[in-house]
Amino acid sequence: MPRLGLHSLAVTPLWNPAEADSYFPGMKALGVSAFEVPLLDPATFDSRGTRAAFERHGLIPICSLGLPDVIDIVNRPDEAATFLDAVVTAAKEAGSDVLSGVTYGTIGKVSGSPPTKAEHDAIARLIGHVGKTAKSLGMRLGLEPCNRYETHLLNTAKQTAAMIERIGLDNLFIHLDTYHMNIEEQGLSRGFEEAGEHLGYVHLSESNRGVPGLGTIDWDDAFAGLKAVGFDGIMTLESFVHVAPELAGGLAVWRPVADNPDDVVARGIPYLAEAAKRAGITIEAP
């Protein structure tokens, strides 16, 4: 049965497990079962504190990232692999069984040209290596295709499915995001269909990154598509009320995403739950 999640940047500019007690109970009361935290620097990430906070409240931890700008997967692949191995290990220590996001590239980094064979070969080698590291830890590794303005490497579900099938590891999955799908896919339900059996995680994000229901995303089509493919994973509301400095440029969030930031969660979570219900999707309670 699907569950609802929430991205930490909807409520806090910087994940700090010591502060979780102040908002985790409210999240659970709204029906949130999972909470996604960016793991941008494994050297400073408090894995032990993160695990303890999630265990206290019975929430599911999800770790995500986009590669730092200094990482070059084509010319310095060993450095990229070492970095991601450390991130996967930190995520496992934090109690998460997944690492997802733009695990194959840097958000906002584009070449100005279509992806080259060398770039796709580098992704296959990197994700093949890190996928095996994740598998040895009992973890799954996700790849999130992003819109053309944030990456030139993987933009659609179909491209990402082809990459996963090329690599051939059974613990890899596609992480789709309605914000990116709204730009790149031939309809939201079509995108979920093309991800098929590889679909493992979903970001529910409004067209302007703000309050779900106040933008142009066709939520009925989105949830109809999720119902049609029998998705039973975690669907996470992602909104950048707060933006980590490492992500600001790549995400191009230059103004507040909502007139009242509290509306993103307070109105957004109930709206998504109701839209899911209209599609015949029952959300599992926390």
Side-chain angles (χ1 to χ4, degrees):
M1 192 180 295
R3 291 176 178 266
L4 281 176
L6 181 66
H7 196 289
S8 67
L9 290 175
V11 295
T12 180
L14 182 65
W15 164 250
N16 179 353
E19 298 174 352
D21 292 341
S22 66
Y23 54 77
F24 270 6
M27 302 299 95
K28 287 187 71 174
L30 282 172
V32 171
S33 297
F35 199 72
E36 180 180 337
V37 296
L39 206 169
L40 302 173
D41 183 0
T44 61
F45 188 74
D46 183 0
S47 292
R48 182 176 298 180
T50 296
R51 177 187 284 268
F54 278 88
E55 288 180 347
R56 279 198 306 276
H57 295 277
L59 288 173
I60 301 167
I62 298 166
C63 291
S64 64
L65 86 166
L67 294 182
D69 186 59
V70 295
I71 295 292
D72 184 334
I73 68 169
V74 175
N75 297 307
R76 301 205 305 273
D78 291 346
E79 181 181 340
T82 298
F83 174 80
L84 272 176
D85 281 348
V87 174
V88 169
T89 300
K92 178 67 174 181
E93 292 172 349
S96 180
D97 65 0
V98 298
L99 175 70
S100 197
V102 191
T103 51
Y104 56 88
T106 302
I107 299 170
K109 191 174 186 177
V110 295
S111 68
S113 301
T116 63
K117 180 179 183 299
E119 287 174 320
H120 274 181
D121 289 348
I123 292 173
R125 287 192 297 269
L126 175 64
I127 298 302
H129 168 86
V130 181
K132 290 176 182 176
T133 300
K135 190 168 185 176
S136 73
L137 296 171
M139 295 182 63
R140 298 182 303 131
L141 181 67
L143 288 79
E144 179 185 12
C146 291
N147 72 75
R148 67 193 69 188
Y149 308 111
E150 294 184 25
T151 185
H152 62 292
L153 298 173
L154 293 174
N155 301 126
T156 67
K158 189 173 183 178
Q159 286 178 308
T160 311
M163 178 60 69
I164 287 176
E165 288 166 8
R166 171 183 174 178
I167 296 167
L169 293 175
D170 62 6
N171 66 321
L172 302 181
F173 65 88
I174 298 176
H175 164 178
L176 288 182
D177 181 319
T178 55
Y179 173 83
H180 302 299
M181 296 172 74
N182 191 47
I183 297 171
E184 299 295 344
E185 303 290 352
Q186 295 179 39
L188 299 173
S189 57
R190 176 72 176 272
F192 292 129
E193 178 185 357
E194 294 196 332
E197 63 180 0
H198 300 298
L199 183 63
Y201 186 53
V202 175
H203 272 168
L204 303 175
S205 187
E206 189 49 88
S207 59
N208 62 352
R209 296 289 198 186
V211 183
L214 297 186
T216 60
I217 292 290
D218 185 343
W219 291 109
D220 287 335
D221 182 47
F223 285 109
L226 288 166
K227 174 70 173 178
V229 299
F231 182 71
D232 65 353
I234 295 171
M235 307 178 294
T236 291
L237 166 56
E238 182 186 46
S239 177
F240 299 115
V241 173
H242 307 278
V243 184
E246 300 93 331
L247 299 175
L251 295 171
V253 177
W254 312 123
R255 58 183 173 80
V257 297
D259 293 335
N260 180 0
D262 292 341
D263 285 347
V264 168
V265 176
R267 294 179 59 180
I269 290 292
Y271 178 89
L272 293 172
E274 180 58 32
K277 184 179 179 180
R278 288 199 302 270
I281 297 174
T282 302
I283 303 295
E284 185 168 347

